[in-house]
Amino acid sequence: MKLAKNLERLGTESAFKILADAKKLESEGRKIIHLSLGQPDFKSPDHVVKATKKALDDGHHGYVLPNGIIECREAVTRKIKKLYNSDIDPERVIIMPGGKPTMYYAITLFGEPGAEIIYPDPGFPIYESMINYTGAKAVPINMLESNDFSINPEKILSLINNNTRLLILNNPNNPTGAFTDKNKIDQLAEGLKKFPHVAILSDEIYSRQIFDEKKMPTFFNYPELYDRLIVLDGWSKAYSMTGWRLGWSVWPESLIEHVIKFCVNNHSCVNAAIQYGAIAALDGPDDTINLMMEKFTKRRKLIYEGLNDIKGIECVMPGGGFYAFPKVIGTGMNGKEFAKKCLHDAGVAIVPGTAFGKKATDYVRFSFAASQDNISKALENIKKIIE
Ligand code: PLP
C-alpha cells in the first residue's frame, strides 16, 4: 500500500494515548486517579437524556439537514442572544458532531502550501496537527507564563502578514486554564480591523467555565468582524456531554455553502434524536452548569494550593476551563519525565506539556474534572514521590 504523503504531517491528541496507558495499568490491577482527560465528571442533565429518549420514541430516526435541524439552530441563536445579546441568523449556525469538526473544516478551508495560520502554543493539539496536514505554515503564538499564559494582542497582530489566512484563538484556554479579559480582546478585535484578509476562529468551548464571576469576552461582541468570524462552541464541556459528540459553530455567510459541502461529504448530518436533547440543554435550566462551577471552584483552589505546596512545582491560578498547567522543572524532571513518574509511581494520570506544544517541556497539565477526594489523594501521592 502506498499512503498519502501528507499523513506523515498529521498529529494526534496524546491525552487519549495516556488514557490507554492508564487503562492498561488498571487492567493489571493498579489503582489510577485520572486527571488527564478533558471531560467534566458529571452525568449529562436528566432533562437532556429525557428529551433525546422522547425524540427516539417519536420516531426521529432518519437523516436530517446536514447543517442541523432548524429547531436546534434556532435554539443556538436564542442562547447566543440570552448570553451575549447578539443577534445571529440561524442560517449561519451549523450543528456538528462535536467541537472538533469545526476546527477541521475551518483549517481545511484556509490551509494549503503558501498559506499561514496562527495558533496558540501551547494549545489544543489538533490546531497544529491540522494546519500541518494541509501543508500551510503553522505560526505559533507563544503563550507565556510571564503573561499568565493570556492573549497578548500586540504580539498576535505582529505575526500577521500577507500570507496569513486564519487566526485561531482559544479563550479560556486548554491546556493552560488561562482566561483573557475583555479589555485585551477588545484591543485585538480593534487591531484585526486593519487585516481584513484574516479570518478568525474563536474556540469558545470553555465559555461556560469561567471563574470569579467574570463574563465571557466572546467574539460575538464584534459584529464588524462577522463576515470573517467563526465561533466554535458546543455541549461537550458546558453540559458534560463529551460522549454525545455534539457541537455548534457560527460561520460567515460566505462560507456556509462550503462548510455544508464538507458536512455532506463527511458525516451527512448529526444524529437526529440527539439534536432534540441539544435543544433541551440550551433552553432548559442552567442548574448543572452552576453546580459544576461550584465544584470546579473548590477543586481549583485545592489543586492550585496543593501543587504550589509541592517542592519544585509552580502553578498559576487557572482563570477558566478545568485545567491547571504547572511548571515542574524545579523537581529535577521535565514534564514528560514527571508525567511518567506520576503515572507509574503515584498512580496519577496527567498529560505532559509537550502534548500541547513542543516548547512546553517544563510543564504538565492536570485536569481537575475529578472529585475533591481524588484530587487530594493525587496531590498526596505526588508529594510523597517528589519530596
Ligand atoms: N476545543 C478545545 C480547546 C478543546 O479542549 C476541546 C476538547 O477537549 C475541543 C475543542 C473539542 O471538543 P469536542 O469534544 O466537542 O469535540
Side-chain angles (χ1 to χ4, degrees):
M1 288 192 295
K2 188 169 161 64
L3 298 181
K5 193 94 186 117
N6 50 3
L7 271 177
E8 288 165 17
R9 301 195 298 263
L10 191 64
T12 188
E13 191 183 349
S14 355
F16 285 103
K17 163 85 175 70
I18 287 154
L19 179 69
D21 292 348
K23 290 273 174 209
K24 187 166 178 292
L25 288 175
E26 277 176 332
S27 72
E28 292 162 6
R30 287 286 310 278
K31 206 164 163 33
I32 304 293
I33 301 174
H34 292 269
L35 303 183
S36 61
L37 263 198
Q39 68 177 344
D41 54 319
F42 302 93
K43 268 177 61 202
S44 305
D46 285 342
H47 62 279
V48 174
V49 175
K50 223 165 143 184
T52 308
K53 281 185 182 164
K54 182 175 179 318
L56 280 172
D57 288 340
D58 289 349
H60 294 288
H61 301 169
Y63 291 127
V64 289
L65 290 177
N67 48 341
I69 59 173
I70 182 66
E71 294 90 336
C72 190
R73 285 182 281 126
E74 282 173 352
V76 169
T77 59
R78 270 198 299 281
K79 195 71 179 183
I80 294 171
K81 178 77 182 169
K82 190 168 169 192
L83 290 173
Y84 309 130
N85 199 25
S86 301
D87 293 298
I88 300 294
D89 181 346
E91 292 311 313
R92 291 180 49 210
V93 175
I94 303 205
I95 309 300
M96 294 284 190
K100 269 182 183 165
T102 291
M103 47 185 97
Y104 191 104
Y105 298 156
I107 295 168
T108 312
L109 275 173
F110 293 102
E112 63 181 343
E116 296 190 13
I117 299 182
I118 302 173
Y119 70 103
D121 182 5
F124 191 57
I126 302 308
Y127 307 141
E128 189 186 1
S129 160
M130 276 308 300
I131 299 168
N132 288 338
Y133 183 71
T134 63
K137 181 176 169 192
V139 180
I141 310 165
N142 295 323
M143 311 293 287
L144 299 175
E145 187 182 349
S146 54
N147 192 28
D148 283 346
F149 296 112
S150 72
I151 287 170
N152 177 337
E154 273 171 33
K155 204 162 100 186
I156 292 175
L157 295 168
S158 74
L159 297 173
I160 297 177
N161 63 34
N162 288 340
N163 298 324
T164 308
R165 301 229 184 131
L166 179 67
L167 163 64
I168 304 175
L169 298 162
N170 173 217
N171 186 32
N173 179 272
N174 176 13
T176 62
F179 169 78
T180 304
D181 61 28
K182 185 164 179 301
N183 230 352
K184 285 204 188 138
I185 304 295
D186 281 346
Q187 279 175 41
L188 180 58
E190 185 58 33
L192 285 169
K193 284 192 202 160
K194 288 190 216 111
F195 302 102
H197 64 292
V198 178
I200 303 133
L201 168 59
S202 180
D203 183 342
E204 303 186 359
I205 198 98
Y206 297 99
S207 59
R208 306 303 306 277
Q209 277 128 357
I210 296 172
F211 298 102
D212 307 320
E213 312 290 323
K214 291 191 180 151
K215 280 183 114 173
M216 174 66 198
T218 175
F219 265 82
F220 284 122
N221 287 330
Y222 315 105
E224 63 277 19
L225 298 177
Y226 281 7
D227 61 350
R228 54 197 166 102
L229 173 67
I230 304 158
V231 175
L232 178 163
D233 206 327
W235 289 262
S236 295
K237 317 285 176 174
Y239 299 96
S240 198
M241 290 172 64
T242 51
W244 294 60
R245 307 313 302 136
L246 194 63
W248 57 261
S249 37
V250 173
W251 298 77
E253 221 176 280
S254 61
L255 295 183
I256 286 291
E257 67 169 305
H258 304 294
V259 185
I260 291 180
K261 258 193 215 161
F262 271 131
C263 297
V264 172
N265 274 274
N266 192 11
H267 61 266
S268 293
C269 63
V270 169
N271 181 307
I274 284 175
Q275 294 191 49
Y276 290 89
I279 299 170
L282 295 175
D283 286 344
D286 273 351
D287 302 4
T288 27
I289 297 181
N290 298 337
L291 182 75
M292 202 189 294
M293 283 313 286
E294 250 175 58
K295 298 215 168 172
F296 281 163
T297 303
K298 288 186 190 141
R299 295 168 183 184
R300 173 180 78 140
K301 184 167 182 288
L302 181 67
I303 203 153
Y304 167 76
E305 289 176 355
L307 286 172
N308 281 309
D309 189 44
I310 299 172
K311 209 165 150 232
I313 301 183
E314 290 165 50
C315 185
V316 171
M317 178 66 115
F322 38 84
Y323 305 111
F325 199 64
K327 192 194 244 172
V328 296
I329 197 74
T331 61
M333 285 175 276
N334 65 29
K336 216 170 179 173
E337 291 159 345
F338 182 90
K340 195 169 172 194
K341 192 168 173 65
C342 280
L343 180 61
H344 291 275
D345 298 355
V348 180
I350 53 171
V351 188
T354 44
F356 306 97
K358 286 179 215 69
K359 291 200 197 89
T361 48
D362 298 353
Y363 298 86
V364 291
R365 186 191 77 174
F366 283 77
S367 158
F368 49 90
S371 70
Q372 275 183 264
D373 282 352
N374 273 345
I375 294 171
S376 298
K377 182 83 188 122
L379 290 166
E380 198 182 294
N381 290 359
I382 294 173
K383 196 172 168 79
K384 239 184 252 162
I385 61 158
I386 300 301
E387 294 180 0

